Amino acid sequence: MKIGVFICHCGSNIAATVDVKKVAETAGRMAEVVYATDAMYACSEPGQQAIEEAVKKYALSGVVVASCSPRMHEATFRRTVERAGLNRYMFEMANIREHVSWIGRDQGPNTVKAIELVRMAVEKLRLNRALIPRKLPATRRALVIGGGVAGIQASLDCAEAGLEVVLVEREPSIGGKMSKLDKTFPTVDCSSCILGPRMVDVAQHERITLYAYSEIESVSGYVGNFEVVIRKKAAYVDWDKCTGCGLCIEKCPSKKNFDRFNEGLGSAAAINIPFPQAIPKKAVIRAEDCRQFQGKKCGICAKFCPTGAINHEQQDELVTIQVGAIVAATGYDLADWTVYGEYGAGRYADVITSLQYERMLSASGPFGGHIKRPSNGEEPKSVVFIQCVASRDPSIGRPYCSGFCCMYTAKQAIMTRDHIPDSQSYVFYMDIRSPGKGYDEFTRRAQEEYGAQYVRGRVSQVYPRGNKLVVRGADTLLGSQVEVEADLVVLAVGGEGSREAAGLAEKLRISYDSFGFFLEGHPKLKPVETNTAGVFLAGSCQGLKDIPFSVSQGSAAAAKTLALLSRDMLESDPQTAQVDIKRCIGCGKCIQVCPFQAIREADLRGQSKAEVLEAVCQGCGLCNATCPQGAIQLSHFTDNQVLAEVEALLCP
């Protein structure tokens, strides 16, 4: 075998703490290495050309590049060696940047470690074999999970490009959190005026099939060929017959139930349409609120329904579809603000969340767009906004910034003055974070034109005094304690991943973090991709973001979906598990540990054996590590290849 080794300076990233030329000289003396050199930037166009020329000039049969993380540039160099005529899997990469130069400043030990990593890569490459990807057909249909603004954008972009789209939303209507907003920042224009037409476009688009009030039951298969089971939850209303006239809601005697859409500020009937612009505009009966389901005699809605749409016997329905790609756009939930007992949330009626305040401001909300104190219905003259509630607070496990709270607080302060001209708003904040276009100007406008008083400091306590609330906190700019009497206190609550995110992540076989956000494939290079091929992310399910950013990411996910499904045939990654039938004893342990359900039991001449579904296998290696007989090997990472690396490290 003829191996070429290329050591990258990476500018000064590596060369500053590693003797790159010495590493190249030492590599030249390793077994079967016929050419070794160093390059300033191996990933640059000249660097790649040098690799191609060396492969041809020295008839190389394998290449090692020692540079940065394979996660960053492995695909780049694989394409390079392929252009030079080699199989892409006759390439190995040693990470001497993140694993060496970035973690130590002593050049001597760093150089020794870099040489060891290169030697390990050379020894593994000696045992590499050419792998050939398989060609697989692709279903030209996309599934979008979540009907918020990001999911709507992804669906419309895919559909406009000619792709069939199935949009699944767990709530009775699409629209997500944006449908609950009155205005949007920094333009203070009507949220429903922006979102409404897009929702109608989804409902009327010939290539989009909408499943509202539905959830994902299971996902199987692989990129290009996913099989998805959707559970259409029983609405106890035949949506084919329902016209959304609202007569059933008007006649329903059970009207004092928790209003989910209005965040509990108002009450809702047991049968309900969430809001006037709902898509689809169909009624849903909540069984937990309905007298009929509580064993009481009722059925009034069925008696008055002019189309006979009420069906208390309706059951959940399972629908199976085939899709080629999946976009997860499941949004976010508000973090638990009740952990702040010192703020009185849940104890004092006049302490509300920012989303409740949005519903109060909205003309379609429970108060008809009038700001009222929930305790007595009076108009508040003094409103205090408390920032960073359940954000930037490690003490409750929420160390991150939610990103949009500073902006929506400024918007609400402006709207408060618009609604109540003689009111005064106070904002307790830690820092103002307004990095978007026109955002900083917007927060200044709230202060300079609308008189909002910003107090830099944390609030320590909210407590009642007479019929008012006293907000006690610190003003770190003045270096003193302050107290403000308020008629209404609004908590700018941050967000966290959807509470169903963990379950959905397991069904999609993707990763998620401790805050419930789905993990992207790479924070810079693959911001909308996941570690499962064919599954993409859009919107706040990946990390909290505002409306423009969510829309942008929805379009980005759609672009990735379209790029994937633009081909009739897809290539599968050949780095998959392989079963040695002679050694397999059919114990089934590999089936139990496989997180991708890529191994099944097969009958071979009356004997139970493991069978790998290569198209589903993601090459994680769990089966390889678990098999007691060593009957499963992972292509490109066999036991012998791994042991060769270990021996190169221990016995140079």
Side-chain angles (χ1 to χ4, degrees):
M1 190 174 189
K2 295 182 178 180
I3 298 174
V5 179
F6 300 83
I7 315 298
C8 182
H9 290 245
C10 198
S12 61
N13 274 303
I14 295 172
T17 59
V18 174
D19 188 341
V20 175
K21 292 189 179 297
K22 183 177 180 180
V23 176
E25 291 171 3
T26 306
R29 297 191 293 270
M30 295 178 185
E32 300 190 41
V33 174
V34 298
Y35 179 74
T37 187
D38 58 285
M40 182 58 68
Y41 292 104
C43 63
S44 67
E45 186 174 355
Q48 293 182 57
Q49 286 178 349
I51 294 173
E52 292 181 47
E53 291 169 1
V55 169
K56 296 172 182 177
K57 181 177 180 179
Y58 298 97
L60 301 180
S61 51
V63 170
V64 171
V65 173
S67 59
C68 59
S69 165
R71 192 179 182 192
M72 183 78 72
H73 279 307
E74 186 175 56
T76 301
F77 292 119
R78 280 182 173 175
R79 288 192 294 268
T80 301
V81 300
E82 202 165 38
R83 287 195 302 270
L86 296 182
N87 182 278
R88 73 180 72 165
Y89 295 99
M90 298 306 293
F91 164 80
E92 285 298 321
M93 197 166 178
N95 185 354
I96 62 171
R97 189 178 72 176
E98 285 84 348
H99 288 178
V100 181
S101 67
W102 280 5
I103 59 174
R105 306 303 299 174
D106 194 330
Q107 189 179 73
N110 279 4
T111 302
V112 171
K113 184 177 180 181
I115 292 171
E116 291 174 341
L117 292 178
V118 171
R119 182 179 289 110
M120 292 169 66
V122 168
E123 290 302 312
K124 179 180 182 297
L125 180 60
R126 293 176 64 192
L127 298 178
N128 279 12
R129 296 294 178 266
L131 301 178
I132 308 299
R134 291 177 57 195
K135 298 286 186 179
L136 303 168
T139 303
R140 284 187 52 80
R141 183 185 297 113
L143 168 68
V144 178
I145 307 173
V149 66
I152 288 172
Q153 187 67 38
S155 299
L156 290 172
D157 283 354
C158 287
E160 285 298 312
L163 209 62
E164 288 186 43
V165 178
V166 176
L167 175 58
V168 177
E169 168 57 45
R170 68 180 178 182
E171 297 297 330
S173 170
I174 60 175
K177 292 289 190 300
M178 188 176 173
S179 64
K180 296 186 178 186
L181 306 181
D182 181 40
K183 300 289 192 296
T184 63
F185 59 78
T187 51
V188 197
D189 49 355
C190 173
S191 178
S192 61
C193 299
I194 302 169
L195 183 65
R198 309 294 282 170
M199 294 167 61
V200 173
D201 288 345
V202 167
Q204 296 180 350
H205 205 292
E206 60 183 6
R207 295 192 189 93
I208 298 178
T209 302
L210 173 61
Y211 288 98
Y213 205 48
S214 302
E215 294 182 353
I216 302 301
E217 185 73 10
S218 65
V219 179
S220 58
Y222 48 91
V223 57
N225 294 273
F226 293 106
E227 183 175 283
V228 181
V229 179
I230 301 169
R231 178 177 292 275
K232 293 176 63 179
K233 295 183 287 188
Y236 307 109
V237 177
D238 186 339
W239 281 7
D240 292 331
K241 296 179 180 179
C242 179
T243 62
C245 67
L247 188 59
C248 55
I249 303 172
E250 180 185 333
K251 300 297 182 181
C252 178
S254 179
K255 284 187 165 65
K256 295 184 179 181
N257 304 296
F258 184 84
D259 189 342
R260 294 167 179 79
F261 186 79
N262 287 313
E263 298 292 314
L265 280 183
S267 58
I271 184 169
N272 194 28
I273 297 173
F275 58 103
Q277 302 91 347
I279 296 291
K281 193 174 183 180
K282 307 291 183 181
V284 172
I285 296 176
R286 299 281 184 177
E288 61 271 27
D289 299 331
C290 179
R291 294 183 179 184
Q292 186 86 355
F293 288 100
Q294 294 171 356
K296 300 175 183 178
K297 191 173 181 180
C298 187
I300 293 176
C301 55
K303 294 176 183 177
F304 283 94
C305 180
T307 61
I310 308 300
N311 179 9
H312 288 95
E313 303 301 320
Q314 192 179 67
Q315 300 293 319
D316 289 0
E317 179 184 349
L318 297 179
V319 179
T320 302
I321 61 171
Q322 306 290 330
V323 298
I326 299 173
V327 176
T330 52
Y332 70 97
D333 284 325
L334 290 185
D336 183 9
W337 64 90
T338 61
V339 297
Y340 291 91
E342 64 270 29
Y343 293 166
R347 291 187 291 132
Y348 307 140
D350 293 329
V351 178
I352 63 175
T353 69
S354 49
L355 200 52
Q356 287 176 318
Y357 197 51
E358 286 287 340
R359 297 312 304 149
M360 190 181 290
L361 291 165
S362 176
S364 63
F367 299 160
H370 297 289
I371 303 176
K372 298 179 181 179
R373 298 180 67 184
S375 62
N376 56 22
E378 294 179 358
E379 191 176 73
K381 300 299 182 181
S382 175
V383 180
V384 172
F385 298 90
I386 302 177
Q387 296 263 51
C388 295
V389 177
S391 288
R392 302 180 67 191
D393 190 350
S395 69
I396 64 162
R398 293 293 177 271
Y400 56 84
C401 174
S402 291
F404 44 56
C405 314
C406 289
M407 292 303 299
Y408 72 59
T409 295
K411 177 197 70 176
Q412 290 176 345
I414 289 173
M415 294 172 63
T416 301
R417 176 63 68 87
D418 282 340
H419 281 253
I420 310 173
D422 60 342
S423 66
Q424 177 62 56
S425 294
Y426 300 87
V427 179
F428 281 84
Y429 71 101
M430 291 174 62
D431 299 289
I432 300 175
R433 297 188 170 185
S434 51
K437 182 179 180 180
Y439 284 12
D440 188 62
E441 298 91 324
F442 186 72
T443 59
R444 291 182 180 277
R445 183 182 171 199
Q447 300 171 60
E448 296 168 3
E449 295 182 29
Y450 287 83
Q453 293 191 23
Y454 274 63
V455 181
R456 189 178 188 276
R458 281 280 198 180
V459 170
S460 61
Q461 188 180 10
V462 177
Y463 61 93
R465 179 187 291 166
N467 68 338
K468 291 186 178 286
L469 293 169
V470 178
V471 180
R472 177 183 292 172
D475 187 329
T476 59
L477 298 180
L478 295 177
S480 63
Q481 294 291 316
V482 295
E483 286 189 355
V484 178
E485 285 195 346
D487 297 317
L488 188 66
V489 176
V490 181
L491 305 180
V493 182
E496 61 186 9
S498 171
R499 291 177 179 86
E500 285 76 27
L504 181 61
E506 292 177 5
K507 293 172 185 176
L508 296 176
R509 302 186 293 275
I510 62 177
S511 302
Y512 61 98
D513 63 22
S514 58
F515 310 117
F517 297 116
F518 298 142
L519 291 178
E520 63 279 0
H522 188 283
K524 298 180 183 68
L525 302 180
K526 296 182 178 180
V528 298
E529 298 170 71
T530 67
N531 56 357
T532 296
V535 180
F536 306 104
L537 306 176
S540 291
C541 67
Q542 179 259 345
L544 296 170
K545 47 187 67 73
D546 58 20
I547 293 169
F549 199 165
S550 295
V551 171
S552 300
Q553 207 170 34
S555 291
K560 287 292 183 181
T561 300
L562 292 167
L564 175 70
L565 300 182
S566 62
R567 296 164 286 175
D568 294 329
M569 302 292 288
L570 302 178
E571 280 190 357
S572 67
D573 190 339
Q575 298 177 98
T576 58
Q578 304 289 330
V579 179
D580 184 345
I581 299 299
K582 295 179 181 179
R583 302 186 70 173
C584 178
I585 60 175
C587 65
K589 291 183 178 179
C590 55
I591 299 174
Q592 296 172 15
V593 300
C594 180
F596 301 100
Q597 301 174 351
I599 307 177
R600 65 186 178 188
E601 185 178 353
D603 186 277
L604 184 64
R605 299 174 185 173
Q607 293 183 319
S608 177
K609 302 288 184 179
E611 180 181 29
V612 176
L613 305 173
E614 292 186 13
V616 183
C617 179
Q618 299 293 311
C620 69
L622 278 176
C623 55
N624 188 180
T626 303
C627 180
Q629 297 297 113
I632 295 185
Q633 292 292 305
L634 184 60
S635 297
H636 203 62
F637 293 96
T638 64
D639 289 351
N640 288 338
Q641 287 174 310
V642 174
L643 289 172
E645 290 186 284
V646 174
E647 289 176 3
L649 180 62
L650 300 179
C651 308

